[in-house]
């Protein structure tokens, strides 16, 4: 059986390494930054996930946040 994603518009921001405050604000505080490792921790419905440089942080349809690898994001989404 095959499925297609429903066409929805999402909000997302890319982790560049120099925008931790923007990411934390975007995630309504559901993220933290570790300066020692240049990592963003995103608190998702499934627990903690680490966002690597270049990853996109997506706000889901229920208001949840989660990281998405750059290549997956590029193949799945386009500007609206």
């Amino acid at each position: 059986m095959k499925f297609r994603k429903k066409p929805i518009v999402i909000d997302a921001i890319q982790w560049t390494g120099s925008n931790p405050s923007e990411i934390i604000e975007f995630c309504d505080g559901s993220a933290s930054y570790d300066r020692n490792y240049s990592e963003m921790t995103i608190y998702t419905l499934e627990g903690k996930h680490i966002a690597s440089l270049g990853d996109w942080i997506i706000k889901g349809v229920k208001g949840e946040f989660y990281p998405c690898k750059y290549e997956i994001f590029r193949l799945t989404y386009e500007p609206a």
Side-chain angles (χ1 to χ4, degrees):
M1 198 179 271
K2 294 185 179 190
F3 293 87
R4 178 191 339 240
K5 273 191 173 184
K6 293 179 181 179
I8 60 166
V9 176
I10 59 151
D11 289 321
I13 185 171
Q14 190 171 30
W15 169 230
T16 65
S18 61
N19 59 341
S21 297
E22 285 181 78
I23 301 286
I24 293 167
E25 183 178 333
F26 176 79
C27 292
D28 297 329
S30 294
S32 63
Y33 175 58
D34 186 335
R35 295 179 202 281
N36 295 324
Y37 299 103
S38 298
E39 291 179 344
M40 289 297 305
T41 301
I42 310 300
Y43 302 99
T44 72
L45 296 175
E46 293 83 28
K48 297 178 187 179
H49 288 265
I50 301 298
S52 302
L53 288 175
D55 287 357
W56 285 84
I57 314 307
I58 295 172
K59 182 176 184 178
V61 295
K62 292 186 176 182
E64 75 281 16
F65 299 94
Y66 58 93
C68 181
K69 294 293 177 199
Y70 171 81
E71 188 64 17
I72 302 290
F73 188 89
R74 186 183 70 77
L75 293 170
T76 307
Y77 299 98
E78 60 187 25

